[in-house]
């Protein structure tokens, strides 16, 4: 019998099954052999990679205010979206910022790229920092109904922590602050 603390065990995947596809995510399970030799199904949802944009204009952060049907709440968030096939996180961040807010950045840098909710999701999120913003035209997706707003940098984290708080917005602000960008 293997010691559960033994990190050399493979956690062999016996089968991987995608049970449904929604067009937005795939859901399924992996039947795995655990370190003690037993078998268990671990359920997962797989989503495309996403990018969150911390965009600075003078001493204000560009935010979007939008209704989130999944939680039934109006949310003030950092701009964000899907990283399209073949795009880098920085390219996707610049595109999403332009499409959602009507700002074109002169510079975009990657702050972090990480796994999200590893107990249930197969989903990567990148946080990018955008600066040197120039106004341009917005190009919203057909399901995007959002308002662009801005917040003073020194108020942004407190506002982001107010219900309904959003993980991606809080993480983005904390990462940018830790990097000395805010």
């Amino acid at each position: 019998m293997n010691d559960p603390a033994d990190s050399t065990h493979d956690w062999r995947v016996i089968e991987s099954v995608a049970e449904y596809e929604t067009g937005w995510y795939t859901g399924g399970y992996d039947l795995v052999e655990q370190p003690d030799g037993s078998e268990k199904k671990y359920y997962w949802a797989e989503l495309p990679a996403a990018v969150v944009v911390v965009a600075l204009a003078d001493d204000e952060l560009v935010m979007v205010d939008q209704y989130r049907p999944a939680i039934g709440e109006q949310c003030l968030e950092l701009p964000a979206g899907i990283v399209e096939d073949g795009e880098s996180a920085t390219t996707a961040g610049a595109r999403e910022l332009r499409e959602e807010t009507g700002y074109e950045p002169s510079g975009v840098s990657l702050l972090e790229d990480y796994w999200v909710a590893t107990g249930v999701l197969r989903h990567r999120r990148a946080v990018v920092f955008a600066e040197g913003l120039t106004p341009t035209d917005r190009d919203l997706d057909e399901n995007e109904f959002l308002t662009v707003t801005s917040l003073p940098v020194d108020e942004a984290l407190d506002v982001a922590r107010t219900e309904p708080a959003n993980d991606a917005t809080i993480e983005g602000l904390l990462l940018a602050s830790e990097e000395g960008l805010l």
Side-chain angles (χ1 to χ4, degrees):
M1 178 146 75
N2 292 325
D3 177 358
D6 180 3
S7 64
T8 61
H9 182 76
D10 281 343
W11 288 75
R12 182 174 65 92
V13 176
I14 297 164
E15 72 175 340
S16 187
V17 176
E19 293 184 309
Y20 53 91
E21 168 63 51
T22 70
W24 179 245
Y25 69 92
T26 301
Y29 68 87
D30 289 340
L31 177 63
V32 301
E33 180 182 321
Q34 299 181 115
D36 65 1
S38 64
E39 296 177 2
K40 180 170 175 54
K41 288 182 181 178
Y42 284 87
Y43 288 86
W44 46 261
E46 185 172 41
L47 290 85
V51 63
V52 177
V53 185
V54 180
L56 188 61
D58 298 318
D59 288 330
E60 300 218 333
L61 287 167
V62 177
M63 308 285 285
V64 293
D65 190 9
Q66 62 186 324
Y67 181 74
R68 291 296 193 179
I71 63 169
E73 297 276 356
Q74 192 75 22
C75 297
L76 185 61
E77 306 171 345
L78 293 172
I82 299 301
V83 177
E84 302 291 343
D85 288 340
E87 275 187 322
S88 67
T90 53
T91 299
R95 177 184 49 74
E96 286 291 342
L97 181 64
R98 183 178 51 257
E99 289 174 359
E100 290 187 359
T101 70
Y103 285 106
E104 182 73 46
S106 64
V108 180
S109 56
L110 179 66
L111 298 181
E112 195 69 45
D113 185 0
Y114 53 97
W115 288 104
V116 177
T118 56
V120 68
L121 294 181
R122 292 179 176 175
H123 178 57
R124 292 197 63 85
R125 177 183 298 150
V127 176
V128 300
F129 182 75
E131 58 190 334
L133 307 184
T134 304
T136 187
D137 293 329
R138 291 170 65 190
D139 184 20
L140 296 173
D141 292 338
E142 65 184 30
N143 67 330
E144 288 179 317
F145 302 92
L146 49 87
T147 303
V148 180
T149 189
S150 62
L151 284 176
V153 169
D154 60 355
E155 295 176 21
L157 187 56
D158 286 339
V159 171
R161 294 176 72 182
T162 304
E163 287 297 326
N166 171 286
D167 64 331
T169 296
I170 292 170
E171 291 163 357
L173 294 174
L174 290 173
L175 285 166
S177 182
E178 179 66 20
E179 292 292 323
L181 300 167
L182 301 180

Short mmCIF file of all heavy atoms in Angstrom, two decimals, residues 50-111:
data_model
loop_
_atom_site.label_atom_id
_atom_site.label_comp_id
_atom_site.label_asym_id
_atom_site.label_seq_id
_atom_site.Cartn_x
_atom_site.Cartn_y
_atom_site.Cartn_z
N ALA A 50 -8.51 32.55 -19.54
CA ALA A 50 -9.07 33.90 -19.47
C ALA A 50 -7.97 34.89 -19.08
O ALA A 50 -6.92 34.50 -18.57
CB ALA A 50 -10.20 33.95 -18.45
N VAL A 51 -8.25 36.16 -19.34
CA VAL A 51 -7.32 37.23 -18.97
C VAL A 51 -8.11 38.32 -18.25
O VAL A 51 -9.26 38.61 -18.59
CB VAL A 51 -6.59 37.79 -20.21
CG1 VAL A 51 -7.56 38.44 -21.20
CG2 VAL A 51 -5.50 38.76 -19.82
N VAL A 52 -7.49 38.89 -17.24
CA VAL A 52 -8.04 40.00 -16.47
C VAL A 52 -7.09 41.18 -16.67
O VAL A 52 -5.87 41.01 -16.61
CB VAL A 52 -8.14 39.64 -14.97
CG1 VAL A 52 -8.65 40.83 -14.15
CG2 VAL A 52 -9.03 38.43 -14.78
N VAL A 53 -7.65 42.37 -16.89
CA VAL A 53 -6.83 43.54 -17.23
C VAL A 53 -6.90 44.60 -16.14
O VAL A 53 -7.97 45.13 -15.84
CB VAL A 53 -7.29 44.17 -18.57
CG1 VAL A 53 -6.36 45.30 -18.97
CG2 VAL A 53 -7.39 43.11 -19.66
N VAL A 54 -5.75 44.89 -15.56
CA VAL A 54 -5.61 46.01 -14.63
C VAL A 54 -5.14 47.17 -15.50
O VAL A 54 -3.99 47.20 -15.93
CB VAL A 54 -4.60 45.71 -13.51
CG1 VAL A 54 -4.49 46.90 -12.56
CG2 VAL A 54 -4.96 44.43 -12.76
N ALA A 55 -6.06 48.10 -15.80
CA ALA A 55 -5.75 49.20 -16.72
C ALA A 55 -5.71 50.51 -15.96
O ALA A 55 -6.68 50.91 -15.32
CB ALA A 55 -6.81 49.26 -17.83
N LEU A 56 -4.58 51.18 -16.06
CA LEU A 56 -4.35 52.43 -15.32
C LEU A 56 -4.39 53.63 -16.26
O LEU A 56 -3.67 53.67 -17.26
CB LEU A 56 -3.00 52.36 -14.61
CG LEU A 56 -2.67 53.48 -13.64
CD1 LEU A 56 -3.68 53.51 -12.49
CD2 LEU A 56 -1.26 53.28 -13.10
N ALA A 57 -5.27 54.58 -15.93
CA ALA A 57 -5.37 55.85 -16.66
C ALA A 57 -5.18 56.96 -15.63
O ALA A 57 -6.06 57.19 -14.81
CB ALA A 57 -6.72 55.96 -17.35
N ASP A 58 -4.02 57.61 -15.68
CA ASP A 58 -3.64 58.59 -14.66
C ASP A 58 -3.63 57.88 -13.31
O ASP A 58 -2.94 56.89 -13.15
CB ASP A 58 -4.56 59.81 -14.70
CG ASP A 58 -4.48 60.54 -16.04
OD1 ASP A 58 -3.36 60.69 -16.57
OD2 ASP A 58 -5.53 60.94 -16.57
N ASP A 59 -4.40 58.34 -12.36
CA ASP A 59 -4.46 57.69 -11.05
C ASP A 59 -5.78 56.94 -10.86
O ASP A 59 -6.26 56.78 -9.74
CB ASP A 59 -4.29 58.72 -9.93
CG ASP A 59 -2.86 59.23 -9.85
OD1 ASP A 59 -1.94 58.46 -10.20
OD2 ASP A 59 -2.67 60.40 -9.46
N GLU A 60 -6.36 56.50 -11.96
CA GLU A 60 -7.64 55.79 -11.90
C GLU A 60 -7.55 54.46 -12.62
O GLU A 60 -6.82 54.31 -13.61
CB GLU A 60 -8.75 56.65 -12.50
CG GLU A 60 -8.91 57.97 -11.77
CD GLU A 60 -10.36 58.39 -11.64
OE1 GLU A 60 -11.18 57.99 -12.49
OE2 GLU A 60 -10.66 59.13 -10.69
N LEU A 61 -8.32 53.51 -12.11
CA LEU A 61 -8.41 52.20 -12.74
C LEU A 61 -9.67 52.13 -13.58
O LEU A 61 -10.75 52.55 -13.14
CB LEU A 61 -8.47 51.10 -11.67
CG LEU A 61 -7.15 50.87 -10.97
CD1 LEU A 61 -7.36 50.01 -9.75
CD2 LEU A 61 -6.18 50.19 -11.92
N VAL A 62 -9.55 51.59 -14.77
CA VAL A 62 -10.69 51.41 -15.65
C VAL A 62 -11.42 50.14 -15.22
O VAL A 62 -10.81 49.07 -15.10
CB VAL A 62 -10.24 51.31 -17.12
CG1 VAL A 62 -11.44 51.06 -18.02
CG2 VAL A 62 -9.49 52.58 -17.54
N MET A 63 -12.72 50.27 -14.99
CA MET A 63 -13.55 49.15 -14.53
C MET A 63 -14.77 49.01 -15.45
O MET A 63 -15.09 49.93 -16.19
CB MET A 63 -14.03 49.41 -13.10
CG MET A 63 -12.95 49.76 -12.10
SD MET A 63 -11.95 48.38 -11.57
CE MET A 63 -13.09 47.55 -10.48
N VAL A 64 -15.41 47.86 -15.35
CA VAL A 64 -16.67 47.64 -16.06
C VAL A 64 -17.72 47.23 -15.04
O VAL A 64 -17.44 46.49 -14.10
CB VAL A 64 -16.54 46.60 -17.19
CG1 VAL A 64 -15.65 47.12 -18.31
CG2 VAL A 64 -16.04 45.27 -16.68
N ASP A 65 -18.93 47.72 -15.23
CA ASP A 65 -20.06 47.41 -14.37
C ASP A 65 -21.02 46.58 -15.21
O ASP A 65 -21.49 47.04 -16.26
CB ASP A 65 -20.71 48.72 -13.91
CG ASP A 65 -21.73 48.51 -12.81
OD1 ASP A 65 -21.84 47.40 -12.27
OD2 ASP A 65 -22.45 49.49 -12.50
N GLN A 66 -21.27 45.35 -14.76
CA GLN A 66 -22.13 44.47 -15.55
C GLN A 66 -22.89 43.49 -14.67
O GLN A 66 -22.46 43.16 -13.57
CB GLN A 66 -21.32 43.71 -16.59
CG GLN A 66 -20.25 42.80 -16.05
CD GLN A 66 -19.40 42.21 -17.16
OE1 GLN A 66 -19.89 41.91 -18.24
NE2 GLN A 66 -18.12 42.05 -16.90
N TYR A 67 -24.03 43.05 -15.18
CA TYR A 67 -24.85 42.06 -14.49
C TYR A 67 -24.28 40.68 -14.74
O TYR A 67 -23.93 40.34 -15.87
CB TYR A 67 -26.29 42.14 -14.99
CG TYR A 67 -27.21 41.17 -14.30
CD1 TYR A 67 -27.63 41.40 -12.99
CD2 TYR A 67 -27.65 40.02 -14.94
CE1 TYR A 67 -28.47 40.52 -12.35
CE2 TYR A 67 -28.49 39.13 -14.30
CZ TYR A 67 -28.90 39.38 -13.00
OH TYR A 67 -29.72 38.49 -12.37
N ARG A 68 -24.15 39.88 -13.69
CA ARG A 68 -23.65 38.51 -13.79
C ARG A 68 -24.80 37.55 -13.49
O ARG A 68 -25.14 37.30 -12.33
CB ARG A 68 -22.49 38.29 -12.82
CG ARG A 68 -21.22 39.04 -13.19
CD ARG A 68 -20.69 38.54 -14.50
NE ARG A 68 -19.33 39.01 -14.74
CZ ARG A 68 -18.65 38.69 -15.82
NH1 ARG A 68 -19.20 37.92 -16.75
NH2 ARG A 68 -17.43 39.14 -15.99
N PRO A 69 -25.43 36.98 -14.54
CA PRO A 69 -26.57 36.08 -14.34
C PRO A 69 -26.25 34.87 -13.45
O PRO A 69 -27.13 34.40 -12.73
CB PRO A 69 -26.93 35.63 -15.76
CG PRO A 69 -26.43 36.73 -16.63
CD PRO A 69 -25.18 37.23 -15.97
N ALA A 70 -25.02 34.38 -13.47
CA ALA A 70 -24.69 33.18 -12.67
C ALA A 70 -24.92 33.41 -11.18
O ALA A 70 -25.27 32.48 -10.45
CB ALA A 70 -23.24 32.76 -12.92
N ILE A 71 -24.72 34.65 -10.71
CA ILE A 71 -24.95 34.94 -9.29
C ILE A 71 -26.11 35.92 -9.07
O ILE A 71 -26.44 36.24 -7.94
CB ILE A 71 -23.67 35.48 -8.60
CG1 ILE A 71 -23.22 36.82 -9.21
CG2 ILE A 71 -22.56 34.44 -8.64
CD1 ILE A 71 -22.14 37.54 -8.42
N GLY A 72 -26.71 36.39 -10.16
CA GLY A 72 -27.85 37.31 -10.06
C GLY A 72 -27.50 38.64 -9.45
O GLY A 72 -28.30 39.22 -8.73
N GLU A 73 -26.30 39.15 -9.75
CA GLU A 73 -25.82 40.40 -9.14
C GLU A 73 -25.19 41.32 -10.18
O GLU A 73 -24.59 40.85 -11.15
CB GLU A 73 -24.75 40.11 -8.08
CG GLU A 73 -25.23 39.29 -6.91
CD GLU A 73 -25.90 40.12 -5.82
OE1 GLU A 73 -25.91 41.37 -5.94
OE2 GLU A 73 -26.39 39.51 -4.87
N GLN A 74 -25.30 42.61 -9.94
CA GLN A 74 -24.57 43.62 -10.70
C GLN A 74 -23.17 43.72 -10.10
O GLN A 74 -23.04 43.83 -8.88
CB GLN A 74 -25.30 44.97 -10.59
CG GLN A 74 -24.82 46.03 -11.54
CD GLN A 74 -25.28 45.80 -12.97
OE1 GLN A 74 -26.26 45.11 -13.22
NE2 GLN A 74 -24.56 46.38 -13.91
N CYS A 75 -22.13 43.64 -10.92
CA CYS A 75 -20.76 43.59 -10.42
C CYS A 75 -19.88 44.65 -11.06
O CYS A 75 -19.93 44.86 -12.27
CB CYS A 75 -20.14 42.22 -10.72
SG CYS A 75 -20.98 40.85 -9.89
N LEU A 76 -19.06 45.28 -10.22
CA LEU A 76 -18.04 46.21 -10.69
C LEU A 76 -16.73 45.43 -10.73
O LEU A 76 -16.28 44.91 -9.70
CB LEU A 76 -17.93 47.40 -9.75
CG LEU A 76 -16.99 48.51 -10.18
CD1 LEU A 76 -17.45 49.11 -11.51
CD2 LEU A 76 -16.93 49.60 -9.11
N GLU A 77 -16.16 45.28 -11.93
CA GLU A 77 -15.03 44.38 -12.13
C GLU A 77 -13.97 45.01 -13.02
O GLU A 77 -14.23 45.97 -13.74
CB GLU A 77 -15.49 43.11 -12.84
CG GLU A 77 -16.62 42.38 -12.17
CD GLU A 77 -17.19 41.26 -13.03
OE1 GLU A 77 -16.92 41.19 -14.24
OE2 GLU A 77 -17.91 40.44 -12.46
N LEU A 78 -12.79 44.40 -13.00
CA LEU A 78 -11.79 44.72 -13.99
C LEU A 78 -12.23 44.13 -15.32
O LEU A 78 -12.89 43.08 -15.33
CB LEU A 78 -10.43 44.13 -13.59
CG LEU A 78 -9.78 44.72 -12.35
CD1 LEU A 78 -8.55 43.90 -11.96
CD2 LEU A 78 -9.40 46.18 -12.56
N PRO A 79 -11.88 44.75 -16.45
CA PRO A 79 -12.19 44.15 -17.73
C PRO A 79 -11.54 42.76 -17.84
O PRO A 79 -10.45 42.53 -17.31
CB PRO A 79 -11.55 45.12 -18.75
CG PRO A 79 -11.39 46.40 -17.99
CD PRO A 79 -11.17 46.02 -16.57
N ALA A 80 -12.22 41.85 -18.53
CA ALA A 80 -11.71 40.49 -18.63
C ALA A 80 -12.34 39.78 -19.82
O ALA A 80 -13.36 40.23 -20.35
CB ALA A 80 -12.01 39.72 -17.35
N GLY A 81 -11.75 38.67 -20.20
CA GLY A 81 -12.32 37.89 -21.29
C GLY A 81 -11.49 36.66 -21.60
O GLY A 81 -10.49 36.37 -20.92
N ILE A 82 -11.89 35.98 -22.63
CA ILE A 82 -11.27 34.72 -23.06
C ILE A 82 -10.01 35.01 -23.88
O ILE A 82 -9.97 35.92 -24.70
CB ILE A 82 -12.26 33.91 -23.91
CG1 ILE A 82 -13.50 33.56 -23.08
CG2 ILE A 82 -11.62 32.65 -24.48
CD1 ILE A 82 -13.21 32.77 -21.83
N VAL A 83 -8.99 34.19 -23.67
CA VAL A 83 -7.79 34.22 -24.51
C VAL A 83 -8.10 33.34 -25.72
O VAL A 83 -8.35 32.14 -25.57
CB VAL A 83 -6.56 33.68 -23.75
CG1 VAL A 83 -5.34 33.66 -24.66
CG2 VAL A 83 -6.29 34.51 -22.50
N GLU A 84 -8.16 33.93 -26.88
CA GLU A 84 -8.49 33.19 -28.11
C GLU A 84 -7.32 32.30 -28.52
O GLU A 84 -6.16 32.57 -28.16
CB GLU A 84 -8.83 34.17 -29.25
CG GLU A 84 -9.98 35.11 -28.94
CD GLU A 84 -11.34 34.44 -28.86
OE1 GLU A 84 -11.49 33.30 -29.34
OE2 GLU A 84 -12.26 35.06 -28.29
N ASP A 85 -7.61 31.26 -29.31
CA ASP A 85 -6.57 30.37 -29.81
C ASP A 85 -5.48 31.17 -30.52
O ASP A 85 -5.78 32.03 -31.34
CB ASP A 85 -7.15 29.34 -30.79
CG ASP A 85 -8.00 28.28 -30.09
OD1 ASP A 85 -7.85 28.11 -28.87
OD2 ASP A 85 -8.82 27.65 -30.78
N GLY A 86 -4.24 30.90 -30.16
CA GLY A 86 -3.11 31.56 -30.80
C GLY A 86 -2.74 32.90 -30.19
O GLY A 86 -1.73 33.49 -30.59
N GLU A 87 -3.52 33.40 -29.26
CA GLU A 87 -3.23 34.68 -28.62
C GLU A 87 -2.38 34.48 -27.37
O GLU A 87 -2.55 33.50 -26.65
CB GLU A 87 -4.51 35.37 -28.15
CG GLU A 87 -5.22 36.18 -29.16
CD GLU A 87 -6.39 36.95 -28.55
OE1 GLU A 87 -7.09 36.42 -27.66
OE2 GLU A 87 -6.61 38.09 -28.98
N SER A 88 -1.53 35.44 -27.10
CA SER A 88 -0.85 35.49 -25.80
C SER A 88 -1.80 36.19 -24.83
O SER A 88 -2.77 36.84 -25.24
CB SER A 88 0.45 36.28 -25.91
OG SER A 88 0.17 37.64 -26.17
N ALA A 89 -1.52 36.08 -23.55
CA ALA A 89 -2.34 36.76 -22.56
C ALA A 89 -2.29 38.28 -22.74
O ALA A 89 -3.30 38.96 -22.58
CB ALA A 89 -1.89 36.38 -21.16
N THR A 90 -1.12 38.80 -23.09
CA THR A 90 -1.01 40.26 -23.25
C THR A 90 -1.78 40.75 -24.48
O THR A 90 -2.44 41.78 -24.42
CB THR A 90 0.47 40.69 -23.33
OG1 THR A 90 1.14 39.94 -24.34
CG2 THR A 90 1.17 40.50 -21.99
N THR A 91 -1.73 39.99 -25.56
CA THR A 91 -2.50 40.35 -26.76
C THR A 91 -3.99 40.29 -26.47
O THR A 91 -4.76 41.18 -26.84
CB THR A 91 -2.14 39.43 -27.94
OG1 THR A 91 -0.75 39.58 -28.22
CG2 THR A 91 -2.95 39.77 -29.18
N ALA A 92 -4.42 39.22 -25.79
CA ALA A 92 -5.84 39.07 -25.43
C ALA A 92 -6.27 40.19 -24.49
O ALA A 92 -7.37 40.73 -24.62
CB ALA A 92 -6.08 37.71 -24.79
N GLY A 93 -5.41 40.55 -23.53
CA GLY A 93 -5.74 41.62 -22.60
C GLY A 93 -5.94 42.95 -23.31
O GLY A 93 -6.89 43.68 -23.02
N ALA A 94 -5.04 43.27 -24.25
CA ALA A 94 -5.19 44.51 -25.01
C ALA A 94 -6.47 44.50 -25.83
O ALA A 94 -7.19 45.50 -25.90
CB ALA A 94 -3.97 44.71 -25.92
N ARG A 95 -6.78 43.36 -26.45
CA ARG A 95 -8.00 43.24 -27.26
C ARG A 95 -9.24 43.39 -26.38
O ARG A 95 -10.16 44.15 -26.71
CB ARG A 95 -8.02 41.90 -27.99
CG ARG A 95 -9.30 41.67 -28.81
CD ARG A 95 -9.35 40.30 -29.45
NE ARG A 95 -9.06 39.20 -28.56
CZ ARG A 95 -9.89 38.73 -27.61
NH1 ARG A 95 -11.08 39.31 -27.42
NH2 ARG A 95 -9.54 37.71 -26.85
N GLU A 96 -9.29 42.67 -25.26
CA GLU A 96 -10.46 42.75 -24.38
C GLU A 96 -10.65 44.16 -23.82
O GLU A 96 -11.77 44.65 -23.74
CB GLU A 96 -10.34 41.74 -23.23
CG GLU A 96 -10.58 40.31 -23.65
CD GLU A 96 -12.03 40.01 -24.05
OE1 GLU A 96 -12.95 40.78 -23.71
OE2 GLU A 96 -12.23 38.98 -24.72
N LEU A 97 -9.56 44.81 -23.45
CA LEU A 97 -9.65 46.18 -22.95
C LEU A 97 -10.24 47.10 -24.02
O LEU A 97 -11.15 47.89 -23.74
CB LEU A 97 -8.27 46.68 -22.52
CG LEU A 97 -8.22 48.10 -21.95
CD1 LEU A 97 -9.02 48.19 -20.65
CD2 LEU A 97 -6.78 48.54 -21.75
N ARG A 98 -9.75 46.98 -25.23
CA ARG A 98 -10.24 47.80 -26.34
C ARG A 98 -11.73 47.51 -26.61
O ARG A 98 -12.55 48.43 -26.73
CB ARG A 98 -9.40 47.54 -27.59
CG ARG A 98 -9.76 48.36 -28.80
CD ARG A 98 -8.84 48.09 -29.99
NE ARG A 98 -8.70 46.68 -30.31
CZ ARG A 98 -7.65 45.89 -30.01
NH1 ARG A 98 -6.62 46.39 -29.36
NH2 ARG A 98 -7.62 44.62 -30.35
N GLU A 99 -12.08 46.21 -26.71
CA GLU A 99 -13.46 45.84 -27.02
C GLU A 99 -14.44 46.28 -25.94
O GLU A 99 -15.51 46.81 -26.24
CB GLU A 99 -13.57 44.32 -27.20
CG GLU A 99 -12.92 43.80 -28.46
CD GLU A 99 -12.92 42.28 -28.55
OE1 GLU A 99 -13.42 41.60 -27.63
OE2 GLU A 99 -12.41 41.77 -29.56
N GLU A 100 -14.09 46.06 -24.67
CA GLU A 100 -15.03 46.33 -23.58
C GLU A 100 -15.06 47.78 -23.13
O GLU A 100 -16.11 48.27 -22.72
CB GLU A 100 -14.69 45.45 -22.37
CG GLU A 100 -14.99 43.99 -22.58
CD GLU A 100 -14.82 43.14 -21.33
OE1 GLU A 100 -14.44 43.69 -20.26
OE2 GLU A 100 -15.05 41.93 -21.43
N THR A 101 -13.92 48.47 -23.19
CA THR A 101 -13.86 49.81 -22.62
C THR A 101 -13.61 50.92 -23.63
O THR A 101 -13.82 52.09 -23.30
CB THR A 101 -12.76 49.90 -21.55
OG1 THR A 101 -11.47 49.84 -22.18
CG2 THR A 101 -12.91 48.80 -20.50
N GLY A 102 -13.12 50.58 -24.80
CA GLY A 102 -12.78 51.61 -25.77
C GLY A 102 -11.45 52.29 -25.49
O GLY A 102 -11.23 53.42 -25.91
N TYR A 103 -10.55 51.59 -24.79
CA TYR A 103 -9.20 52.11 -24.55
C TYR A 103 -8.17 51.20 -25.21
O TYR A 103 -8.21 49.99 -25.04
CB TYR A 103 -8.88 52.21 -23.06
CG TYR A 103 -9.55 53.36 -22.37
CD1 TYR A 103 -10.63 53.14 -21.53
CD2 TYR A 103 -9.11 54.67 -22.56
CE1 TYR A 103 -11.26 54.19 -20.88
CE2 TYR A 103 -9.73 55.72 -21.92
CZ TYR A 103 -10.80 55.48 -21.09
OH TYR A 103 -11.41 56.53 -20.46
N GLU A 104 -7.26 51.83 -25.93
CA GLU A 104 -6.14 51.12 -26.55
C GLU A 104 -4.90 51.37 -25.70
O GLU A 104 -4.50 52.52 -25.51
CB GLU A 104 -5.91 51.64 -27.97
CG GLU A 104 -4.81 50.97 -28.73
CD GLU A 104 -5.19 49.58 -29.19
OE1 GLU A 104 -6.31 49.41 -29.71
OE2 GLU A 104 -4.36 48.65 -29.04
N PRO A 105 -4.28 50.32 -25.18
CA PRO A 105 -3.08 50.53 -24.37
C PRO A 105 -1.82 50.63 -25.22
O PRO A 105 -1.71 49.99 -26.27
CB PRO A 105 -3.03 49.27 -23.50
CG PRO A 105 -3.65 48.22 -24.37
CD PRO A 105 -4.71 48.92 -25.18
N SER A 106 -0.86 51.43 -24.77
CA SER A 106 0.43 51.48 -25.47
C SER A 106 1.37 50.40 -24.95
O SER A 106 2.33 50.03 -25.62
CB SER A 106 1.08 52.86 -25.32
OG SER A 106 1.39 53.10 -23.97
N GLY A 107 1.07 49.90 -23.75
CA GLY A 107 1.89 48.84 -23.18
C GLY A 107 1.06 47.89 -22.34
O GLY A 107 0.17 48.32 -21.61
N VAL A 108 1.34 46.59 -22.47
CA VAL A 108 0.67 45.56 -21.68
C VAL A 108 1.73 44.58 -21.20
O VAL A 108 2.54 44.10 -22.01
CB VAL A 108 -0.40 44.81 -22.50
CG1 VAL A 108 -1.08 43.75 -21.65
CG2 VAL A 108 -1.44 45.77 -23.07
N SER A 109 1.74 44.29 -19.90
CA SER A 109 2.71 43.34 -19.37
C SER A 109 2.00 42.27 -18.54
O SER A 109 0.98 42.55 -17.89
CB SER A 109 3.77 44.06 -18.53
OG SER A 109 3.16 44.81 -17.50
N LEU A 110 2.55 41.08 -18.56
CA LEU A 110 1.99 39.96 -17.82
C LEU A 110 2.41 40.05 -16.35
O LEU A 110 3.60 40.15 -16.05
CB LEU A 110 2.49 38.64 -18.41
CG LEU A 110 2.01 37.36 -17.73
CD1 LEU A 110 0.51 37.19 -17.90
CD2 LEU A 110 2.76 36.16 -18.30
N LEU A 111 1.43 40.02 -15.45
CA LEU A 111 1.72 40.02 -14.02
C LEU A 111 1.77 38.60 -13.47
O LEU A 111 2.60 38.28 -12.64
CB LEU A 111 0.68 40.83 -13.24
CG LEU A 111 0.58 42.31 -13.58
CD1 LEU A 111 -0.48 42.98 -12.71
CD2 LEU A 111 1.93 42.99 -13.40
#
